[in-house]
């Protein structure tokens, strides 16, 4: 089992910034890939950004140029820096980790609300 504990998020005005953190209970080097997903009310969960153990990052088109995913290996922590936030970024954000073959773990989710 891998525990993922998220922090950050909250309420911000449009154009503002927030940072999400996700602390893993195991070494990040043991995790194949980590990412952030989000789910808005009435919508399916979607990938926001992901990063592999080789530090290759990919982003959803809707957040490219505004969000940055990064990891601190010493702290076993994943981050999502969110700048130039828009009301349509409002959602519950989830941290995800893929370990070994077919093992997938999720954080508890953090609410991000962007007011117009």
């Amino acid at each position: 089992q891998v525990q993922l504990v998220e922090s950050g998020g909250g309420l911000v005005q449009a154009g503002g910034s927030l940072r999400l953190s996700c602390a893993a209970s195991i070494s990040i080097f043991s995790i194949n890939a980590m990412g952030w997903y989000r789910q808005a009310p009435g919508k399916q969960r979607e990938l926001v950004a992901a990063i592999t153990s080789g530090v290759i990052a990919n982003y959803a088109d809707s957040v490219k140029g505004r969000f940055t995913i990064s990891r601190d290996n010493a702290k076993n922590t994943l981050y999502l820096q969110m700048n130039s936030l828009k009301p349509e970024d409002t959602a519950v954000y989830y941290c995800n980790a893929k370990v070994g073959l077919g093992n997938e773990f999720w954080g508890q989710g953090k609410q991000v609300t962007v007011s117009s």
Side-chain angles (χ1 to χ4, degrees):
Q1 282 288 340
V2 177
Q3 278 75 50
L4 301 172
V5 179
E6 301 167 10
S7 59
L11 173 64
V12 68
Q13 288 188 331
S17 299
L18 287 172
R19 188 175 81 158
L20 296 172
S21 301
C22 172
S25 62
I26 64 171
S27 169
I28 280 187
F29 292 112
S30 300
I31 301 174
N32 298 344
M34 296 187 77
W36 292 96
Y37 289 70
R38 68 186 181 187
Q39 188 166 20
K43 295 187 177 181
Q44 289 189 329
R45 191 173 296 188
E46 63 175 357
L47 175 68
V48 176
I51 188 167
T52 68
S53 57
V55 200
I56 298 173
N58 61 82
Y59 298 90
D61 288 343
S62 59
V63 306
K64 282 181 181 176
R66 301 188 297 122
F67 291 12
T68 302
I69 189 170
S70 63
R71 41 190 270 180
D72 184 329
N73 296 334
K75 296 182 178 180
N76 297 323
T77 300
L78 180 74
Y79 301 100
L80 184 68
Q81 178 65 43
M82 303 181 289
N83 298 329
S84 302
L85 282 160
K86 304 175 180 180
E88 50 264 44
D89 295 318
T90 295
V92 177
Y93 285 69
Y94 296 91
C95 178
N96 173 274
K98 294 178 174 59
V99 181
L101 295 176
N103 299 307
E104 192 169 27
F105 302 92
W106 294 91
Q108 78 278 14
K110 296 298 288 187
Q111 178 69 45
V112 171
T113 302
V114 185
S115 62
S116 57

